[in-house]
Every structure is written in structure tokens, then in C-alpha cells.
Amino acid sequence: GITALQAGATAAVMRGTQDMKAAIRYFRKDVAENGNQYGINPDEIYAAGVSAGGFIALHLAYLDQESELPSFLDMNATGVSGGLEGNSGNSGYPSNVKAVVSICGAIGDSAWIQPGDEPACLFHGTNDNTVPYGSAMLSVLGMPVTDVDGSYSINEKMNQIGLEHCFEIHEGQDHVPSLTSAAFADTTLSLMTQFLASQVCGTNY
């Protein structure tokens, strides 16, 4: 059966995803209604995150069909109502992004990733003891929460369907090595910059 921890963690990811979508809608609304005070291009919006933020960026992009929502998730519960888009505000504007960056994140099910979906840039340590590198049980404070598909499994699915992406393997590293290692921070920043530049400017930038 579904544990309370699994249900709670799933709802938390859904709430975070809905909130990130509302933030994206906010910027598009600002362009349309408030003179674009942030000076953004609404066609060049990307979602990026580290660890839990990586979960949210990935779910924002690939959990994009009502049929993909886990059957045990009560979408009428306080905080998660409003379907995939949620009720966090700025309705009437799209919440899609052009591509995603996930640093040590994971997704509930890599089957949600389909041909034509957004490109992704993935980073993950092979010895990540917080968020699984492949398909495994996510644990919090030593307690099993739910099965997830980490960057290795996402990479496999994207290879299988021919979806544009890059995958940087941090061999032998634990969770988010770029936080503690200048070398990994430099590599991560460099590759992320190259990926985003290619998305904005084309592959021959």
C-alpha cells in the first residue's frame, strides 16, 4: 500500500511544481500587463534546480498529462488542488519552459518523458546517497519514501526516445559535489552555461 510518507512526499513535489508554474506565469503576466519590468523574453524561460529543485524542474517539464498523476494523490487536498497547473496565481498565462536543468534531481517515473518533450541538462554523482543516481528507493533520514528515477534512468529514457539532452556523470561522488568542490562547481557551471547557450542561440552559437 501507499505509506503516509510516500503520499506526503508526492504531494510536496506537486505543490512545489505548481508553485514554480505560478512563478513562470507571473513573469509572462508581467511582460503582458506590467511593461516587462524584469526585461525577460517570455519565449526563453528555463527551469533549473538542485536536489529538491531538480525534482521540481523535472516534474514541471515531464509530468504534463493528467493521466500521469499518481492515482493515490488526492488532487482535492488543501495545497494541491487545481490540477497540473495548481491554484497558486497568475492564471491565464502559460507555464511551459524551453528546457530544464537538474542537478542531482529525480522524477517519479521516467515513463512520463515522451518524444517532443523539453531538452534537459542532467548532473548526478554515481554514489549519491540522498537522491538515487538510477532507479531506486528515495530515503529521507533513513526512512524509505518512494521509488524514483534518477538522472541515469532519465538519461536512458532520453537516449531511447532520441530526446536532446546532456548528462554529466560525477564519478564516485555523493550528493551535489559542486557545493563543496570548486572543480565540480566549475565543471557544472561551464556545462550548464554551454547547454543554455545552445538552447538560446542554437547549436552553432
Side-chain angles (χ1 to χ4, degrees):
I2 303 303
T3 67
L5 210 54
Q6 183 177 7
T10 304
V13 170
M14 195 70 233
R15 287 194 299 272
T17 303
Q18 290 173 335
D19 285 350
M20 185 181 269
K21 288 184 174 190
I24 293 164
R25 291 194 299 269
Y26 172 85
F27 287 111
R28 288 200 169 103
K29 181 177 182 179
D30 179 75
V31 172
E33 299 182 20
N34 202 30
N36 194 10
Q37 61 179 331
Y38 299 99
I40 70 159
N41 180 342
D43 298 323
E44 298 288 348
I45 296 179
Y46 300 85
V50 179
S51 193
F55 272 80
I56 291 170
L58 291 166
H59 285 81
L60 183 149
Y62 306 122
L63 180 56
D64 53 5
Q65 305 290 329
E66 295 278 351
S67 59
E68 295 168 342
L69 287 166
S71 57
F72 61 84
L73 185 60
D74 180 4
M75 293 301 292
N76 295 312
T78 303
V80 290
S81 59
L84 290 170
E85 291 299 314
N87 292 321
S88 299
N90 311 303
S91 60
Y93 291 91
S95 62
N96 61 296
V97 294
K98 194 171 175 184
V100 297
V101 176
S102 171
I103 299 173
C104 303
I107 194 169
D109 191 343
S110 63
W112 299 337
I113 303 168
Q114 298 294 325
D117 274 344
E118 299 86 344
C121 185
L122 312 166
F123 300 85
H124 220 121
T126 57
N127 290 2
D128 194 322
N129 288 301
T130 303
V131 176
Y133 171 70
S135 298
M137 178 66 66
L138 174 71
S139 297
V140 175
L141 301 176
M143 295 179 289
V145 177
T146 191
D147 287 313
V148 297
D149 291 334
S151 302
Y152 175 82
S153 301
I154 294 169
N155 170 67
E156 290 286 293
K157 177 63 187 284
M158 290 182 171
N159 281 337
Q160 179 190 332
I161 64 175
L163 188 62
E164 179 190 352
H165 71 291
C166 60
F167 178 33
E168 174 69 8
I169 300 169
H170 292 158
E171 195 66 48
Q173 296 300 304
D174 199 345
H175 194 52
V176 198
S178 53
L179 287 179
T180 52
S181 160
F184 281 108
D186 184 63
T187 302
T188 300
L189 184 61
S190 174
L191 289 173
M192 185 166 55
T193 301
Q194 291 176 49
F195 171 77
L196 292 171
S198 73
Q199 295 300 312
V200 173
C201 306
T203 51
N204 299 316
Y205 68 92

